[in-house]
Amino acid sequence: MPRRPKSRWIITIDGPAGAGKSTAARSLANDLGLRYLDTGAMYRAVTWIALRDQVDFSSDAALEAAAKALRLDMPADGRVVAAGVDVTRDIRNAEVTRNVSRVAAVSGVRRVMVERQRAFAVEGGLVAEGRDMATVVFPDADFKFYLDASPTERAKRRVQEIHERGGEASLADVEADIRRRDAYDSSREASPLRRGTDTLYVDTTHLDPRAVVQALLEKVVD
Ligand code: DC
């Protein structure tokens, strides 16, 4: 049973990279008239600015300071604007992707981001996507989902995405990277990727994006 009125629902979607979270979260938000919050994009924006400003990646304090100082706007049109620069595309590049796990493992960075994520929810309902949405950020969410898919399927989806953007990538490299990031994100000390006990698990390996949203919509009822 939801705790809030529909217009203020907080719905969380957690899971590893490539499980279909972004597409599902965006469509679900759209179908329900809620806002969409991509928290991975927030960690990517911190990583982008830290790389641009040549922050010392070995220093937790320096990364936390970069997170605190970051002026970050995520308007409803889906753009990500960091320090006045539209970084929507650049936060998905290979360099940011390689370095983001390190930044997301810093507990001070997470503290700053969690505070901003909760502030976002004060303004109204939302579908929030990430790794610790149900376990840490919104433990009292109205509906909690955990999306997953086999590592090979997740790698195939990533490769397709990269090709659609005009890039090049081999399935073997992407799958190795996904397995490495999974291991890192699940074993880190600060808010590791975990399935909460009160979270609905959805295996998307054999589902197309529309079927995933349908599966979630079936569970989201007043
Ligand atoms: O979902 P994504 O690939 O854009 O996430 C980028 C990185 O940020 C990934 O390494 C996991 C991390 N992340 C996190 O630690 N906590 C979140 N709530 C969202 C993402």
Side-chain angles (χ1 to χ4, degrees), residues 2-181:
R3 297 159 195 255
R4 302 173 182 79
K6 195 169 177 181
S7 65
R8 298 197 66 87
W9 276 356
I10 294 180
I11 301 177
T12 60
I13 303 188
D14 292 302
K21 298 188 302 294
S22 299
T23 312
R26 214 176 283 119
S27 328
L28 193 63
N30 196 41
D31 285 358
L32 296 171
L34 299 171
R35 292 167 309 151
Y36 162 60
L37 178 63
D38 177 357
T39 63
M42 298 172 74
Y43 290 100
R44 287 174 178 273
V46 176
T47 308
W48 178 86
I49 201 111
L51 288 166
R52 187 198 72 172
D53 295 349
Q54 300 186 357
V55 170
D56 176 3
F57 270 65
S58 69
S59 163
D60 285 9
L63 290 170
E64 181 180 346
K68 261 193 195 136
L70 174 63
R71 209 162 24 86
L72 181 63
D73 294 301
M74 298 175 72
D77 60 13
R79 280 178 310 128
V80 180
V81 182
V85 182
D86 185 336
V87 295
T88 316
R89 276 182 74 87
D90 285 355
I91 57 169
R92 311 272 160 208
N93 73 25
E95 198 187 8
V96 170
T97 302
R98 235 186 351 262
N99 288 284
V100 64
S101 279
R102 157 76 188 128
V103 173
V106 177
S107 58
V109 170
R110 302 199 71 84
R111 250 194 321 275
V112 176
M113 292 298 118
V114 167
E115 203 174 296
R116 293 188 190 199
Q117 289 154 17
R118 291 191 180 137
F120 200 78
V122 170
E123 291 157 36
L126 58 99
V127 179
E129 172 214 327
R131 304 291 191 286
D132 59 342
M133 294 299 101
T135 50
V136 175
V137 186
F138 302 116
D140 72 336
D142 297 277
F143 301 96
K144 301 177 181 181
F145 296 102
Y146 187 100
L147 300 195
D148 204 356
S150 72
T152 309
E153 174 62 24
R154 293 191 283 125
K156 278 188 195 152
R157 292 174 187 173
R158 264 291 138 98
V159 168
Q160 193 183 337
E161 235 175 73
I162 293 167
H163 287 169
E164 278 164 13
R165 273 194 231 118
E168 282 291 321
S170 86
L171 183 61
D173 287 351
V174 173
E175 185 168 340
D177 182 56
I178 278 189
R179 287 182 188 273
R180 186 180 55 78
R181 274 217 286 158

